[in-house]
Amino acid sequence: MKTFESCKLTGKVIELNYDVVVVGGGLAGVCAAIAAARHGCRTAIVQDRPVFGGNSSSEIRVNATGANNCGAWARETGIIEEMLVEERARNHDLFLNARINSIWDMVLYEWVKKEQNLIAYLNTRVVGVEMNGASRISTVVGVQNGSERIYKLHASYFIDCTGDGTVGVAAGAEYRYGRESRDEFGEPLAPEQADKMTQGSSLSFRAIDVGRPISFTPPSWAEEYPTEESLYARGHGSSITLYGIKQYAGYWWIEIGVPFDIIDQNEEIRDELLRHLLGVWDHIKNRGDHGAENMAIDWIGFVPGKRESRRLIGDYILKEHDVHKNVPFYDRVAYGGWWIDIHVMGGILAKGKPPEALIGNPDLSDQLRIQPYSIPFRCLYSRNIENLFMAGRDVSVTHVALGTTRVMLTCAVMGQAAGTAAALCVKKDVTPRNLANDLTLVKELQQTLLKDDCSIIYCPNEDPADLARRASVTASSSMTLALEPTEASSSLESQRSQTFPISASEIKTLSLFLESFLDRDAVVNLELMPATDIWSFNEGKTLLASASASLPAGFKGWVDFDLNLKVEPQKLYQVNVYGEKGLAWARSKPLPAVAAAYKKPTWKRWGSEKVVHTLRINPLSTPFGPENVISGVARPEKWTNVWISDPNAKFPQILTLDFGEEIDFNTVCLTFDTFLHVDTYNWPPFHRVPECVRDYALRVLCNDKWKTIAEFKGNYHRRRVHHFDTVKSKKLMLEVYASNGDPTARVYEIRVYKE
């Protein structure tokens, strides 16, 4: 790497010492820095822009997505959940492409600033590193815009969240750039020959209705898109805002990569993107009838949003096979679930090709759709730089696997895992590789992440310090599973499937609410099988029972399928339903552990969908009991894992933990329901999840009287931790006075500690 020892500087050089330095202030970097700071490390975060958020910030405006795309109840939790829920509660606008405003920037800034162990260096570009030997970074060097300061930040551990792998490359870390060959890792989606091609960068814009005709004359250098065919497969319609204003917003497909170098030619890419962006707007305004006479641009992005560049190499490289098979790595610390989304090489320059594969051929779902999968810790540290972690899109994955790991919510949970791991390395004075090779430390890392409300697939709470695990739990009431019809329905032209929880040891009858629009009799077939979890639709299963029913012409109502089957209680089951065009299965309101999928006749694999369908079970299923709050899992997975009170019972509703003997404790961690079935960008402005507990109190039994130790009103967050003076008691009570609108009280987890 080049050095500048003889360079004369205008600014002053400031040297500071930290335990952990995070470089990059996107969602991965913010979560990494907050996690390290919360675990006691003196932490710095260095960001080259004036705001945090990376591609999601108000400068670029890409809404953050993640595992919920291919899995029910799969939204990411932990630090990123805190910030996203807060943004929706505060913001007057939607959190969508090209509409993200500075409220999000401010939430991220506040979450960083309120950590006492965390110092932020905004507008500071890291330009190099200093090394202690060939394999250890001692210092990052950054230049701060405006102040003319040059920072030399020394630390024991560094986390590269730059996206481009800037710190790692400067330090000599091994990395990859471009596409691997199909044969190298046996990846069917890889090209036959390796090359240096990457997915492109995008610019977005927004245009709004100003109430009168507005002309637009493109600059002479703008690209021309004279016909609809010239924007092949690139939808460019308008939408109506919540406030009744027409707008054009986006579009992600204004993307350019190949033939440019995505890093070295970033400025040229920006200029080329602007040329095409204005050409697209010229097309909408002036070429054809798009109804855009009164529309005017009010924002254009000038910072390209990157998808792919360098990938630093760790002790493990995540591959296409890993994400398709959900390999249960021993050191799994995060998860993904976005589909394998690899955009066409060249982006908008690839004329005549769809911008991504599924737009061109929806039947590629079999190859590209996946279920949530695990990400190992070994992907989050450098193979040859011993004190370097990485998180975000520069982690150790192949080009194909990056198609799913690159999205921002997946990057965020990797960031929290890397920051937590860095803090553990500081505490234990070990390298990341030493941590990964020590099963005891790996388990400590996993259990710490779970305690901090991260999710790890098939990794339950086994924290020996959690006193709640030994308690018995009772509740004032619990809800029975009820999947009653709403007004909507799903066509049985596609095959339908649904998981559901069974609490009894038998299923006598399953009933579906069905409708026929045919003028003849028709048959609906049903299959029943066990389900491993709410995402396992495509795993091989044993058929337990099948049944069929004939629907008369024009029928609408409940149809009983007699099964008379012995089953294993407290397990999930999967029902597959087959019909034909003209038949429909009524939809219902989603409930935890109820998950649906569909399959077109030409598909081999089921694809996840967000709607769920009606179901009545005889005998009744009661899967939302109080024991779920100490199940060890704080989200739907292999079971519901949530207590839900009876919706017909009034507040207050009460959970009681009985420890069997008096114990000392001073901390209670509560995990409520923030409806993990949908991403927060689907929520309206100022949204507070109706299912989330709002007002509650914690009480302990002392001298046969209940004593209040904590009380909170106005909550809308999933996670609340209460610290108080140490108490001695045999029982702990959570009394819920109100939710944010739902008639039930819902709690996923209660943990109790003496800390």
Side-chain angles (χ1 to χ4, degrees), residues 83-208:
M83 298 184 294
L84 288 170
V85 167
E86 187 67 23
E87 186 276 337
R88 285 292 78 204
R90 293 188 192 184
N91 208 333
H92 68 279
D93 205 345
L94 295 177
F95 191 84
L96 294 175
N97 284 345
R99 295 184 64 176
I100 296 171
N101 58 35
S102 294
I103 300 299
W104 177 232
D105 300 337
M106 195 64 201
V107 169
L108 295 171
Y109 181 80
E110 285 185 30
W111 249 246
V112 168
K113 293 293 287 185
K114 69 182 181 179
E115 295 298 329
Q116 294 183 352
N117 291 324
L118 180 55
I119 301 297
Y121 298 90
L122 290 169
N123 291 306
T124 303
R125 174 74 178 178
V126 167
V127 296
V129 303
E130 294 179 353
M131 303 293 292
N132 181 8
S135 64
R136 191 173 185 88
I137 304 171
S138 64
T139 309
V140 293
V141 181
V143 179
Q144 189 172 61
N145 299 334
S147 70
E148 298 186 347
R149 295 174 179 173
I150 297 167
Y151 285 104
K152 298 182 72 174
L153 305 179
H154 312 288
S156 301
Y157 299 91
F158 297 84
I159 308 179
D160 188 333
C161 298
T162 62
D164 289 334
T166 303
V167 175
V169 171
E174 296 179 32
Y175 70 93
R176 292 183 174 224
Y177 182 97
R179 304 188 294 179
E180 291 85 1
S181 70
R182 187 171 303 163
D183 291 339
E184 182 174 3
F185 296 112
E187 296 180 305
L189 293 175
E192 289 188 9
Q193 301 295 325
D195 56 41
K196 297 299 182 183
M197 293 187 182
T198 66
Q199 295 186 83
S201 301
S202 290
L203 287 183
S204 290
F205 74 94
R206 183 176 70 171
I208 61 172

Side-chain angles (χ1 to χ4, degrees), residues 49 201 203 260-274 302-304 306:
R49 306 301 304 171
S201 301
L203 287 183
F260 296 90
D261 184 297
I262 208 74
I263 297 175
D264 182 66
Q265 295 181 287
N266 184 69
E267 296 300 295
E268 290 88 340
I269 289 172
R270 188 267 326 285
D271 294 344
E272 185 72 359
L273 282 167
L274 283 171
F302 274 78
V303 181
K306 290 183 182 178

